[in-house]
Amino acid sequence: MDKTNDLALCARDRAHLWHPYSSSVAHMPLFAVASASGVRLKLDDGRELVDGMASWWCVIHGYNHPVLNAAIEEQLRDMAHVMFGGLTHAPAVRLAEKLVEITPDGLDLVFFADSGSVAVEVALKMAIQYWHSLGLPGKRRFVALRNGYHGDTLHAMSVCDPVTGMHTLFNGVLPQQLFVSAPAAGFNVPVAQADLRELEQILAEHADELAGLVLEPVVQGAGGMRFYSPDYLRAARTLCDRYQVLLIADEIATGFGRTGKLFACEHAAIAPDILCLGKALTGGYMTLAATLTTHRVATAIGAGEPGVFMHGPTFMANPMACAVSLASIDLLLQSPWQARVAQIEAGLRTGLAPCVDMPQVADVRVLGAIGVVELVHPVDMQRVQPLFVEQGVWVRPFGSLVYLMPPFVIGEDDLATLTEAVCAVVGRLDVEGGFCVPGV
Ligand SMILES: *Cc1c(COP(=O)(O)O)cnc(C)c1O
């Protein structure tokens, strides 16, 4: 397809479509993709971009993977979908068994949902129903970490960071939750005693109204791309037990190897009471999420009123999504993924090092297959996005964060292309977040 068609497609898009966090009035740059394979996106105009985003952390094995394609094609021959009320099927059963096997101990029951936000809603409802069943209906609020991100539906939003989660805009609509400071920044930075005291105080003071503590273990994603000490997570586990509050770990972003462990909870060797999975679950092929919990929580819900867990998505446990998830997990576990993530970590460290001393850069941090360049000021997406495309890469910053989260299968050269592009584009920004070179 030629460039004219590409422009025509984008113009037609703009006439009718919303994009994530977009306006139908002030348009942001838009690029039409014709196909994707391995770590490359092919644009309609023929340009190829090395993908640094894994389509929002999901595509761990790269695009158009023959094994994942085959899993969907095979499942399609049996059935694309069947309702999950009163019916079951092998892909759902096998995937549930697999998830129970690979996640932290004690998480033995699986609820499939259709997106990460819904998995979080399900987790919050499980916690509320758990306490309700135990005769403690007052325990229905949540405490969350500042800088957290847990999804875009209303109750999930209520546990997102109150500032970046735009709680003022939805003031009066969102349930009022409690927040504690984000833990001291840095994976290897010792946990701050003040952070633990703050957490303990809020748990102690509000124990009679708190259903759960919600957090992203070790890596806070879309709320600021922050890393924190596994010791904090370990302490949070202890404190939740002490004050009778459920620990809800949202591993939608961190799950399936991204931080260097299969699940980020493993850094602290803890198991939450409720675990949310999504994003890379299907290898980025389809939308599917899961909420796992313990027999203790599930049994209490079953024994209470109304005796059932009150949720049931229409597309619950979609067979094709389950089949591709199984194939993706097998592919991951059979691959040398730890070595690959370690190689990516090393490549990101060296490749992003030139940014460290730039005055427009506030911080450079790397953990597992996550590389972050935090700028002093937010970037101007209107100008930065096309610059990355000119460099032959797909990198999509948000706010003042330019980050890389490539598919695990990326080779050394492609990774270098990504980090060089980040250094080049960041290098052209001035300290105010504009550009040093006029007209660029
Ligand atoms: C992306 C994300 C969600 C929301 O998932 P969706 O599939 O976009 O609804 C929730 N929590 C975390 C940590 C995420 O990264």
Side-chain angles (χ1 to χ4, degrees):
M1 230 185 262
D2 64 18
K3 193 147 190 167
T4 343
N5 276 328
D6 176 20
L7 292 174
L9 192 64
C10 288
R12 281 160 59 197
D13 173 292
R14 282 174 167 160
H16 302 292
L17 280 168
W18 292 92
H19 283 263
Y21 313 102
S22 70
S23 157
S24 66
V25 183
H27 293 135
M28 294 305 275
L30 191 61
F31 303 88
V33 183
S35 63
S37 180
V39 298
R40 284 186 163 65
L41 307 180
K42 193 166 180 200
L43 298 186
D44 266 2
D45 63 14
R47 284 183 291 179
E48 284 199 347
L49 308 180
V50 178
D51 176 36
M53 296 286 96
S55 282
W56 276 338
W57 329 49
C58 303
V59 184
I60 51 179
H61 306 296
Y63 300 88
N64 213 348
H65 196 291
V67 173
L68 302 185
N69 291 2
I72 292 189
E73 280 162 9
E74 230 168 82
Q75 180 53 45
L76 186 55
R77 279 195 284 270
D78 290 337
M79 64 187 151
H81 184 64
V82 62
M83 65 186 278
F84 210 52
L87 299 174
T88 193
H89 44 78
V93 174
R94 289 174 56 214
L95 179 58
E97 288 170 350
K98 178 71 78 180
L99 291 176
V100 167
E101 179 194 326
I102 65 174
T103 50
D105 283 349
L107 298 163
D108 291 330
L109 290 130
V110 183
F111 189 101
F112 286 116
D114 27 27
S115 76
S117 302
V118 175
V120 170
E121 297 286 337
V122 165
L124 302 179
K125 284 173 73 173
M126 269 182 190
I128 293 169
Q129 256 196 265
Y130 171 70
W131 295 113
H132 190 275
S133 299
L134 293 184
L136 295 166
K139 281 170 79 67
R140 57 185 186 178
R141 283 181 90 187
F142 294 91
V143 57
L145 307 187
R146 288 187 187 272
N147 284 103
Y149 176 78
H150 300 287
D152 289 346
T153 53
L154 285 167
H155 225 104
M157 265 183 90
S158 78
V159 289
C160 291
D161 181 85
V163 180
T164 57
M166 281 171 293
H167 287 200
T168 359
L169 179 61
F170 296 96
N171 192 20
V173 176
L174 294 184
Q176 297 293 298
Q177 314 293 12
L178 297 160
F179 292 93
V180 290
S181 307
F187 180 76
N188 289 314
V189 173
V191 57
Q193 291 309 309
D195 287 340
L196 292 185
R197 274 197 302 275
E198 186 185 345
L199 180 60
E200 172 149 25
Q201 192 177 349
I202 216 158
L203 290 172
E205 266 172 33
H206 298 274
D208 59 342
E209 56 167 345
L210 280 176
L213 165 65
V214 187
L215 50 73
E216 296 154 279
V218 180
V219 173
Q220 296 187 293
M225 307 292 294
R226 294 173 85 264
F227 312 149
Y228 65 87
S229 169
D231 292 340
Y232 182 91
L233 185 58
R234 210 171 293 127
R237 173 71 277 183
T238 308
L239 291 172
C240 282
D241 288 339
R242 186 175 303 159
Y243 295 100
Q244 300 282 299
V245 169
L246 295 180
L247 178 61
I248 301 172
D250 178 352
E251 291 231 26
I252 290 167
T254 51
F256 304 102
R258 183 58 66 179
T259 70
K261 299 279 188 193
L262 199 52
F263 297 98
C265 283
E266 293 173 22
H267 288 290
I270 60 116
D273 300 294
I274 300 176
L275 174 73
C276 300
L277 301 175
K279 289 202 161 88
L281 173 59
T282 64
Y285 263 60
M286 302 179 70
T287 176
L288 182 71
T291 307
L292 281 78
T293 194
T294 59
H295 278 294
R296 177 170 75 112
V297 170
T299 306
I301 290 173
E305 272 298 313
V308 294
F309 179 58
M310 290 302 290
H311 207 97
T314 306
F315 285 96
M316 187 167 182
N318 173 261
M320 289 198 295
C322 289
V324 75
S325 294
L326 269 167
S328 174
I329 293 169
D330 285 344
L331 204 54
L332 180 68
L333 298 180
Q334 286 158 16
S335 74
W337 65 270
Q338 289 101 329
R340 281 181 181 161
V341 170
Q343 262 163 19
I344 294 172
E345 177 166 337
L348 289 170
R349 268 186 218 290
T350 16
L352 297 176
C355 292
V356 172
D357 296 321
M358 297 180 185
Q360 61 273 45
V361 172
D363 188 37
V364 177
R365 47 188 182 268
V366 174
L367 180 68
I370 310 168
V372 184
V373 177
E374 181 165 358
L375 304 169
V376 176
H377 290 284
V379 296
D380 175 356
M381 285 291 279
Q382 199 78 37
R383 307 181 74 183
V384 165
Q385 190 73 89
L387 274 185
F388 277 117
V389 172
E390 275 164 36
Q391 300 275 333
V393 300
W394 182 244
V395 175
R396 188 164 175 82
F398 66 93
S400 51
L401 298 163
V402 180
Y403 70 96
L404 294 173
M405 202 138 352
F408 297 166
V409 294
I410 195 166
E412 229 172 298
D413 292 350
D414 285 331
L415 187 60
T417 302
L418 288 174
T419 54
E420 279 159 25
V422 167
C423 295
V425 172
V426 169
R428 279 153 84 171
L429 300 170
D430 67 24
V431 247
E432 301 301 319
F435 289 89
C436 299
V437 190
V440 180

